[in-house]
Amino acid sequence: MRLGYPVAKTVLSKLFQKREKTAPVRLPLPDSIEVIRQKARLGYHLEQVLWGKTLLDSIYMPSDPQQAIIWFTMAAKAGYGPAHNMLGRCAHFGWGCDKNLQKAAQHYEMAATLGDEWGRYNLGILTMRGIGMPQNLEQALTLFQTAAQNGHAKSMNILARFLEEGWEIPQDRQAALGWYKRSAEGGDYRGQHNYATALAEAGHTEEALKWWGQALPNATSDILLAMNKSLTKLGPDAAPDLYAALQERLKTLPLQTTETDPET
């Protein structure tokens, strides 16, 4: 979905000119990123979001979250769900604006309504934890179930946790294992760690080590600490290369125990 080129050119050209006169000096952009920038200027909503993400965090230019919000807002006003999710992230973490959890929840809800599974997942996190709204595990479960069934790997992992613990749903550890496996196969490092943990507990050590190896490159500190505990229990000799790589990662990352993944 995108704006037509004539509309984009007439409505946005002055805004682009004014913005780019004051934009920070940047290195020459790689062709792939320059294509995104040009398509964003023409009104393509996906590229507007991608360009906004580039402005949030890029090695090619100084971070400019306020400008990123402008691009997210353009796409959001056209009813593009991922743009609402990104506006929610900005309000959630105070990127380019004051932190406002209620506003974050509103944008996540709009993203979910428009069919964006990241927005549904992020709304589920706030609802599950009672952040910016009253805690409601039943509603959170519904959000994660829908996102998981639609193929969202991180939601699969949390749905598995609900099933494993029996939160707002009958406990079913076999079903939980299935969702952990699907999450792991979908590339979520938390799902990979949880699936590996379950496999190790069932005595399938070699397969567990494979999934811990998959989780290692992207895992945040809380997962790394949990992996370290599990691998230490198995003994460093069980997977010396994996254990050594884990120790190197633990030396470089700040400790954190909450889910603040930069994923969107």
Side-chain angles (χ1 to χ4, degrees):
M1 182 178 181
R2 64 180 181 89
L3 294 174
Y5 173 74
V7 175
K9 184 174 181 180
T10 57
V11 175
L12 304 177
S13 60
K14 291 184 179 180
L15 179 61
F16 293 136
Q17 292 168 5
K18 181 179 179 181
R19 182 186 305 121
E20 293 189 343
K21 285 179 182 178
T22 59
V25 176
R26 57 179 177 261
L27 299 173
L29 297 174
D31 290 345
S32 58
I33 297 180
E34 180 61 25
V35 167
I36 289 172
R37 187 176 77 92
Q38 293 297 338
K39 292 185 75 172
R41 293 183 61 178
L42 293 176
Y44 288 79
H45 305 324
L46 170 59
E47 282 73 18
Q48 287 173 339
V49 171
L50 293 175
W51 180 238
K53 289 183 179 182
T54 302
L55 290 166
L56 281 177
D57 184 19
S58 172
I59 63 173
Y60 302 107
M61 66 192 76
S63 176
D64 193 342
Q66 291 181 336
Q67 222 183 114
I69 287 175
I70 292 173
W71 288 100
F72 297 146
T73 301
M74 288 182 196
K77 286 183 176 179
Y80 189 56
H84 277 287
N85 177 62
M86 288 309 303
L87 288 174
R89 298 285 286 178
C90 290
H92 190 163
F93 298 106
W95 299 338
C97 60
D98 292 335
K99 185 173 180 178
N100 187 324
L101 294 173
Q102 289 76 22
K103 187 174 181 180
Q106 290 169 2
H107 279 296
Y108 291 151
E109 184 172 12
M110 181 58 71
T113 299
L114 293 168
D116 181 64
E117 302 310 330
W118 277 110
R120 203 183 315 276
Y121 165 80
N122 287 324
L123 180 61
I125 292 292
L126 296 189
T127 306
M128 179 176 70
R129 295 179 175 166
I131 299 174
M133 63 179 69
Q135 184 183 47
N136 189 325
L137 290 180
E138 182 179 1
Q139 184 178 351
L141 172 61
T142 298
L143 290 164
F144 293 132
Q145 283 176 319
T146 300
Q149 290 161 1
N150 289 338
H152 190 258
K154 291 184 75 64
S155 296
M156 294 175 187
N157 174 63
I158 298 186
L159 174 57
R161 185 69 187 278
F162 271 77
L163 286 161
E164 183 179 18
E165 303 294 340
W167 296 338
E168 300 296 327
I169 195 171
Q171 188 178 55
D172 188 337
R173 292 182 174 173
Q174 191 61 36
L177 184 64
W179 281 110
Y180 281 138
K181 183 175 187 291
R182 290 181 63 180
S183 176
E185 293 172 341
D188 177 46
Y189 65 85
R190 292 178 184 275
Q192 290 165 346
H193 165 71
N194 287 329
Y195 185 48
T197 301
L199 288 169
E201 289 174 352
H204 304 298
T205 305
E206 288 300 318
E207 191 175 359
L209 291 171
K210 181 191 76 171
W211 285 110
W212 273 318
Q214 291 283 327
L216 180 61
N218 297 314
T220 46
S221 297
D222 56 326
I223 296 299
L224 293 174
L225 289 170
M227 288 174 59
N228 186 55
K229 184 177 180 179
S230 296
L231 290 178
T232 300
K233 185 177 180 180
L234 288 175
D237 292 340
D241 291 343
L242 177 60
Y243 186 79
L246 173 59
Q247 300 314 304
E248 289 302 311
R249 287 225 53 205
L250 285 170
K251 291 177 183 178
T252 61
L253 287 181
L255 299 184
Q256 60 185 50
T257 57
T258 58
E259 173 125 8
T260 56
D261 304 338
E263 300 163 316
T264 54

